[in-house]
Amino acid sequence: MNVILLGPPGAGKGTQAVRIAEKYQIPHISTGDIFRKNIKEQTPIGVVAKSYIDKGQLVPDEVVIEIVRQRLAEKDCEKGYLLDGFPRTTFQAEALAGFTTVDTVLNLDIDLNLLMKRLTGRRVCSACGESFHVSFIGDAKECSKCGGALIQRADDNEETVNNRLVAYTNQTAPLIDYYTKQGTLKNVQADGKIDEVFAAITRVLG
Ligand code: AP5
Ligand code: MG
């Protein structure tokens, strides 16, 4: 089962990916998480990625494509994978087609006006990676799943979110057409409750 999660920033890709990976027992590969790990460890990739991510711009195609190509060659991807946040440009999608076959593209479909609130109110567990929202957890400082410290992502401020939404509209949204033409795109309504969105995803994936 080779699956792509497509959708704008804040649509719930990471939230749903954790649940999909657990149910279908496939590795969750988030290019954003890979970059954040590299930034934390101050690797050369992290230094390059940070200069783009802080501005809400996409990291250059050649950097991200090579990371994904290597990751998909690892043994745990033999029975399938879930890509979260890749591809994000038509160039990335074409490169991906050169080294793997995608079965299903889940497009998390949501009104872009809902996303600013979701992102500026997001808190992420620094230990297990689970996402929360202040509207549910208030000013809690610890993760309810593992007790890890909750943090706010550096790119979840209003100015950077605006730039991320522009990058999505200009560079990533054209992939909806691209995968529709390939016959692999499935739309999932992403403005419902987390469990409702997940139920819709499982109806598509079986
Ligand atoms: P990345 O980490 O992928 O960020 P993103 O696409 O901007 O998406 P997010 O992680 O912000 O949102 P999400 O859809 O995962 O939402 P979440 O589930 O957390 O990328 C970061 C940066 O890295 C990019 O800007 C770019 O610079 C770079 N990058 C990464 N991949 C790249 C690539 N392929 N090419 C080039 N550059 C790349 O949910 C958001 C919030 O909403 C949470 O608070 C959550 O609790 C809440 N929520 C979720 N679902 C619901 C619901 N159903 N109802 C109510 N609240 C909900
Ligand atoms: Mg995410």
Side-chain angles (χ1 to χ4, degrees):
M1 179 187 272
N2 298 343
V3 182
I4 291 174
L5 259 180
L6 192 65
K13 299 184 296 296
T15 303
Q16 298 300 331
V18 174
R19 289 157 176 81
I20 297 167
E22 196 188 347
K23 179 170 166 76
Y24 296 97
Q25 292 293 301
I26 49 175
H28 167 204
I29 301 167
S30 156
T31 43
D33 287 350
I34 292 171
F35 286 135
R36 281 184 287 278
K37 184 165 182 280
N38 276 277
I39 291 171
K40 205 170 164 191
E41 293 168 0
Q42 298 182 333
T43 68
I45 285 174
V47 173
V48 173
K50 186 173 172 12
S51 65
Y52 293 91
I53 293 176
D54 282 353
K55 288 186 253 169
Q57 295 170 354
L58 296 186
V59 176
D61 286 335
E62 59 274 19
V63 177
V64 68
I65 288 167
E66 189 49 27
I67 288 173
V68 174
R69 198 184 60 74
Q70 286 182 20
R71 181 64 186 87
L72 293 188
E74 285 179 34
K75 197 158 174 46
D76 64 337
C77 295
E78 273 173 8
K79 289 195 178 130
Y81 55 77
L82 174 65
L83 281 174
D84 159 5
F86 183 94
R88 261 174 149 95
T89 63
T90 307
F91 191 83
Q92 291 178 17
E94 283 167 351
L96 183 68
F99 51 83
T100 187
T101 307
V102 174
D103 302 316
T104 308
V105 179
L106 293 168
N107 180 43
L108 297 185
D109 191 8
I110 189 160
D111 182 345
L112 297 189
N113 293 315
L114 296 173
L115 302 176
M116 180 61 76
K117 195 169 154 237
R118 276 197 185 185
L119 290 171
T120 51
R122 171 168 57 187
R123 299 293 180 270
V124 186
C125 176
S126 55
C128 75
E130 179 77 7
S131 286
F132 300 91
H133 197 275
V134 291
S135 61
F136 297 116
I137 62 163
D139 60 2
K141 301 273 182 290
E142 283 174 9
C143 172
S144 57
K145 278 179 80 182
C146 76
L150 295 182
I151 53 159
Q152 183 166 22
R153 261 170 55 175
D155 59 347
D156 279 348
N157 62 79
E158 222 174 297
E159 189 188 345
T160 310
V161 169
N162 269 323
N163 293 340
R164 287 159 63 197
L165 291 170
V166 170
Y168 168 78
T169 302
N170 293 340
Q171 294 170 275
T172 308
L175 290 179
I176 296 173
D177 239 28
Y178 176 91
Y179 284 116
T180 301
K181 285 188 184 127
Q182 309 251 321
T184 45
L185 190 110
K186 305 277 185 214
N187 278 307
V188 173
Q189 219 31 57
D191 52 7
K193 295 202 176 89
I194 291 171
D195 290 348
E196 291 167 0
V197 178
F198 184 57
I201 288 172
T202 59
R203 283 196 291 277
V204 172
L205 295 179

